[in-house]
Amino acid sequence: MRQRITAFGFYLYLLSDAILFAGLFATFAVLHNSTNGGPTGHDLFSLKNAYIETALLLTSSLTCGMAMLACDGRNRFGALFMLGVTVLLGASFLNLELSEFSHLIADGAGPDRSAFLSSFFTLVSTHGLHVFAGLLWAIYIGVQLLRRGFSPAVMRRFFCFSLFWHVIDVVWIGVFTFVYLVGGRA
Amino acid sequence: MTDYVDHRAKVAERPPGIRVSGGHGTWHGYLIGYISAALLTTAAFVLATNEWMTPASVVAAVSVLAVAQMLVHLIFFLHINTAPEQRTNILAFATTMLIILIVVVGSLWIMSHLRHNMMPMEMLIKMQR
């Protein structure tokens, strides 16, 4: 019962998070042409880079699911291994994103350049912060799995984490499509 | 989202954390989801980086692919389905989608009207002198 209540509450949190992102997406959509004479998405974005980021996050979603399946089989090594791969993939995603940010800022296209770039940085870095929080959470769960094994409390947290991680991936599809693919062309 | 624990079983018989009847995903389901998501992303990427279509149709095609991929994620990774015991989940989900639709479409609609009806900036500056 506790499991069901926690899972439902967490699900509601995830839905409200989706509304937060919808607001940021709407802001970006409204402002994506307000470049104030500065660089446009077409000048700035590397679609290939964004595609690699998508692949990393998608694969980490798969390994996260695999970790859950390993938990079902009470396979502690498998669960920890898959969780570790998930963390590595998420960290390399974050690394790519941060290097993109630092390139943009070094080129004078920081969030202070135009309304378009402000909305871009707000949207993408909010997503990045979610990924970062997810990484910390995953490490915490890994430590708990090591120390306490498959206790109900640990499994509940693991389950919520996997939901969180999959939703971050869904949000990234929106970023990849509407910010990079659509915004990077026009 | 499916119930994680089979609450009908006695706790002593079934350790918590074991899911009911494969409703919570199998290797098979995750792989299908992963492969179709990868194909959809790659299709969107290829369409957007090549000049095969007009810009407007690329935007339409890529948006459709994105929605399809989000559905794949929801079904194969998040396991949202239309089972009767998921009524509350589906209801919350549908409400959220409605709010998101209002926020996004409403913002775009209002702002495009505003832009359309606003005096050009040069004229506005001239009038203020």
Side-chain angles (χ1 to χ4, degrees), chain A residues 51 66 68 72 74 155 185, chain B residues 4 16 19 27 34 42 48:
Chain A
Y51 182 66
M66 294 292 165
M68 288 304 293
D72 277 358
R74 290 291 177 268
M155 293 316 299
R185 275 181 62 92
Chain B
Y4 185 63
R19 298 180 197 124
W27 291 85
Y34 180 71
T42 308

Side-chain angles (χ1 to χ4, degrees), chain B residues 9-26:
Chain B
K10 284 183 200 125
V11 178
E13 286 170 11
R14 199 188 277 254
I18 289 196
R19 298 180 197 124
V20 274
S21 62
H24 208 277
T26 53

Side-chain angles (χ1 to χ4, degrees), chain B residues 61-75:
Chain B
V62 161
S63 309
V64 169
L65 287 171
V67 171
Q69 199 189 336
M70 284 177 184
L71 284 178
V72 165
H73 279 248
L74 290 176
I75 294 165

Side-chain angles (χ1 to χ4, degrees), chain A residues 26-147:
Chain A
T27 312
F28 179 81
V30 166
L31 294 175
H32 79 281
N33 283 325
S34 314
T35 52
N36 190 23
T40 62
H42 183 69
D43 306 330
L44 294 175
F45 298 154
S46 153
L47 296 191
K48 211 170 138 196
N49 193 48
Y51 182 66
I52 295 170
E53 285 177 294
T54 310
L56 287 173
L57 214 54
L58 179 62
T59 310
S60 81
S61 231
L62 176 75
T63 56
C64 180
M66 294 292 165
M68 288 304 293
L69 293 178
C71 285
D72 277 358
R74 290 291 177 268
N75 175 356
R76 197 196 290 210
F77 173 76
L80 280 170
F81 178 75
M82 283 301 175
L83 196 65
V85 174
T86 308
V87 169
L88 279 181
L89 289 169
S92 32
F93 167 87
L94 215 54
N95 178 38
L96 267 181
E97 188 168 286
L98 286 177
S99 73
E100 189 199 4
F101 280 2
S102 64
H103 277 298
L104 286 180
I105 292 170
D107 292 347
D112 52 345
R113 180 62 189 83
S114 62
F116 154 67
L117 282 163
S118 303
S119 61
F120 165 77
F121 272 95
T122 313
L123 172 57
V124 179
S125 59
T126 305
H127 178 269
L129 272 179
H130 277 77
V131 174
F132 183 65
L135 289 181
L136 293 183
W137 193 2
I139 292 167
Y140 172 67
I141 288 170
V143 171
Q144 285 201 323
L145 261 184
L146 265 179
R147 295 182 55 183

